């Protein structure tokens, strides 16, 4: 009985028609507005999308003020949806999201305000709102926003993206993520594998860092690494990358073999196997023979991949080298032969797991 009652109450609290009627009540008397806010707050994060949608469609300044005030009263649950709203195409939504986050967000959430605050692609009013929000969240004097600067913003975003890249784990459980949906004109919540969420968040931060410093090679490499890893994850590690305008492969093609080779070097350094596989897929299609003789960290990253711990990367490197059709001997040529020989001899069905407290004995 208690479970049925709980289910009934939850269904009532989250009913879209009820939530919309409460949002409409925000235009009522002060008492009606206060009651509506209390009930909206009890519904949690699900009230943010319909409020943001109404803000997207409304041209009434008074109504926009009512909806914005309601968001400031809803507390922590609406912070993740508002962070997603910072990437909305509408300038008005980005500014409102920054204003409200200044009142609600915690220091850990400041990460997502650095780009709106300092990116040259953002209009002036969004930058001002984001800088004021950052000052509030970080405990600085709002009159001294000049203490925050573009260099610090770029560095914070780059390090956060790199941290996500370094923490790559092949997790199977799902995780929630809020994103802006242009068709719905609001934010939507998705349940995705944790590994994919990690790549999406890392790509977002790397892109934001790149927007503020497009000429920095290390940021370019990190962004391309994230983009290749995400696309390779979505199509499957053993499938070719999609081609054509708007694809990551097209971005890699425009960036050139040397840029993709740097991505491969970064992936191997950080132990990011999916990114390494993605880079090797791209190099197999756009690479040149000069990659076999370039000097990155004392030797070619493509040749170094022949000795990477993961056999999938070894095989991808060997087949990529074959695609380059080497015209003369190169360091590691024997490794290509041994890797391909191993692949030909392997039946693909045999496997063994040894569990032992002693590593030497287990080996």
């Amino acid at each position: 009985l208690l479970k049925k009652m709980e289910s009934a109450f939850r269904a009532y609290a989250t009913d879209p028609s009820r939530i919309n009627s409460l949002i409409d009540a925000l235009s009522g008397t002060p008492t009606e507005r206060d009651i509506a806010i209390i009930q909206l707050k009890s519904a949690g994060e699900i009230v943010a999308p319909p409020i943001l949608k109404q803000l997207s469609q409304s041209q009434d300044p008074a109504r926009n003020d009512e909806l914005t005030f309601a968001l400031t009263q809803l507390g922590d649950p609406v912070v993740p949806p508002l962070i997603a709203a910072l990437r909305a195409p509408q300038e008005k939504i980005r500014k409102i999201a920054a204003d409200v986050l200044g009142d609600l967000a915690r220091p850990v959430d400041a990460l997502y305000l650095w780009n709106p605050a300092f990116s040259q692609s953002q209009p002036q009013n969004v930058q001002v709102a984001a800088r004021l929000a950052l000052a509030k969240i970080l405990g600085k004097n709002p009159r001294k926003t000049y203490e925050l600067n573009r260099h610090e913003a770029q560095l914070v975003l780059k390090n956060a993206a790199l941290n996500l890249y370094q923490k790559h784990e092949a997790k199977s459980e799902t995780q929630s993520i809020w994103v802006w949906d242009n068709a719905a004109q609001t934010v939507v919540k998705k349940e995705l594998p944790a590994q994919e969420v990690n790549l999406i968040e890392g790509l977002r931060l790397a892109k934001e860092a790149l927007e503020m410093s497009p000429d920095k090679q290390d940021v370019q490499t990190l962004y391309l690494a994230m983009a290749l890893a995400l696309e390779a994850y979505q199509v499957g590690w053993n499938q070719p990358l999609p081609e054509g305008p708007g694809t990551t492969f097209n971005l890699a093609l425009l960036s050139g073999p040397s840029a993709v080779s740097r991505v491969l070097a970064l992936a191997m350094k950080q132990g990011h196997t999916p990114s390494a596989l993605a880079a090797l897929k791209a190099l197999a299609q756009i690479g040149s023979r000069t990659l076999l003789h370039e000097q990155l960290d004392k030797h070619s990253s493509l040749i170094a991949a022949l000795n990477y711990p993961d056999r999938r990367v070894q095989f991808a490197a060997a087949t990529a080298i074959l695609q380059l059709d080497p015209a003369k001997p190169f360091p590691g040529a024997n490794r290509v032969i041994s890797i391909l020989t191993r692949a030909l001899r392997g039946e693909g069905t045999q496997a063994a797991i040894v569990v032992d407290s002693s590593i030497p004995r287990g080996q």
Side-chain angles (χ1 to χ4, degrees):
L1 179 60
L2 286 173
K3 288 181 180 179
K4 288 182 178 180
M5 289 174 63
E6 182 183 358
S7 177
F9 281 128
R10 186 182 300 111
Y12 172 72
T14 59
D15 180 51
S17 60
R18 174 179 175 271
I19 290 174
N20 286 329
S21 67
L22 290 172
I23 295 173
D24 292 339
L26 295 172
S27 298
T29 66
T31 301
E32 290 173 335
R33 182 190 63 193
D34 291 343
I35 293 173
I37 288 174
I38 291 171
Q39 295 190 61
L40 285 170
K41 191 172 183 178
S42 67
E45 62 184 10
I46 63 168
V47 304
I51 293 178
L52 287 169
K53 184 170 186 176
Q54 288 203 25
L55 281 166
S56 297
Q57 299 172 342
S58 172
Q59 301 298 324
D60 181 1
R63 179 59 174 164
N64 293 343
D65 288 343
E66 292 167 354
L67 295 169
T68 302
F69 175 76
L71 284 172
T72 64
Q73 303 302 302
L74 297 179
D76 292 344
V78 299
V79 168
L82 287 171
I83 288 174
L86 289 171
R87 299 296 287 185
Q90 288 179 266
E91 174 185 327
K92 175 180 71 174
I93 297 298
R94 298 198 300 274
K95 181 184 181 302
I96 290 172
D99 285 335
V100 178
L101 285 170
D103 294 326
L104 298 181
R106 301 161 297 168
V108 68
D109 302 315
L111 175 64
Y112 300 97
L113 286 160
W114 285 105
N115 177 267
F118 293 99
S119 174
Q120 293 180 347
S121 65
Q122 297 285 355
Q124 188 66 29
N125 64 339
V126 173
Q127 290 188 39
V128 171
R131 291 179 192 181
L132 286 172
L134 273 173
K136 289 181 185 178
I137 294 170
L138 299 177
K140 296 184 179 293
N141 188 339
R143 296 181 180 179
K144 297 182 179 180
T145 55
Y146 58 82
E147 293 180 351
L148 305 168
N149 60 74
R150 183 185 182 86
H151 174 72
E152 181 183 6
Q154 187 271 332
L155 192 61
V156 167
L157 289 168
K158 184 191 78 171
N159 289 339
L162 185 60
N163 188 48
L164 282 170
Y165 189 74
Q166 291 171 332
K167 288 185 176 178
H168 162 73
E169 294 179 16
K171 296 179 179 178
S172 58
E173 68 266 20
T174 59
Q175 190 172 320
S176 299
I177 183 172
W178 286 91
V179 297
W180 183 267
D181 188 310
N182 287 330
Q185 291 186 294
T186 187
V187 292
V188 295
K189 186 179 182 180
K190 295 183 177 181
E191 295 291 332
L192 299 173
Q195 184 177 352
E196 186 173 1
V197 171
N198 201 41
L199 290 171
I200 291 172
E201 288 291 328
L203 179 60
R204 170 181 176 168
L205 295 173
K207 182 179 180 181
E208 291 182 345
L210 187 61
E211 285 176 0
M212 292 190 293
S213 52
D215 57 337
K216 282 189 171 289
Q217 192 178 88
D218 58 339
V219 182
Q220 295 171 0
T221 300
L222 181 58
Y223 173 72
L224 185 56
M226 282 289 190
L228 283 170
L230 178 59
E231 191 139 305
Y233 174 84
Q234 291 173 337
V235 301
W237 74 269
N238 59 342
Q239 299 297 321
L241 291 171
E243 299 182 25
T247 63
T248 305
F249 174 78
N250 197 54
L251 176 62
L253 184 64
L254 294 172
S255 301
S258 295
V260 181
S261 183
R262 289 193 294 271
V263 169
L264 177 58
L266 174 66
M268 291 189 295
K269 181 179 180 180
Q270 303 298 340
H272 201 291
T273 298
S275 188
L277 288 167
L280 286 166
K281 285 184 192 178
L283 285 176
Q285 295 172 274
I286 68 171
S288 66
R289 296 168 183 170
T290 57
L291 291 172
L292 301 176
H293 305 282
E294 66 175 351
Q295 298 295 315
L296 279 179
D297 293 334
K298 298 183 181 179
H299 55 270
S300 163
S301 60
L302 186 53
I303 292 175
L306 295 170
N307 295 306
Y308 188 80
D310 192 297
R311 288 191 174 189
R312 294 174 300 171
V313 173
Q314 293 178 16
F315 182 75
T319 53
I321 289 172
L322 287 182
Q323 294 294 320
L324 303 182
D325 193 19
K328 60 181 181 180
F330 59 90
N334 291 336
R335 281 291 295 148
V336 174
I337 296 172
S338 63
I339 290 168
L340 296 177
T341 301
R342 182 183 66 203
L344 287 171
R345 289 178 177 174
E347 296 180 9
T349 56
Q350 297 179 352
I353 297 177
V354 177
V355 181
D356 199 300
S357 59
S358 169
I359 292 178
R361 186 171 60 196
Q363 291 173 337

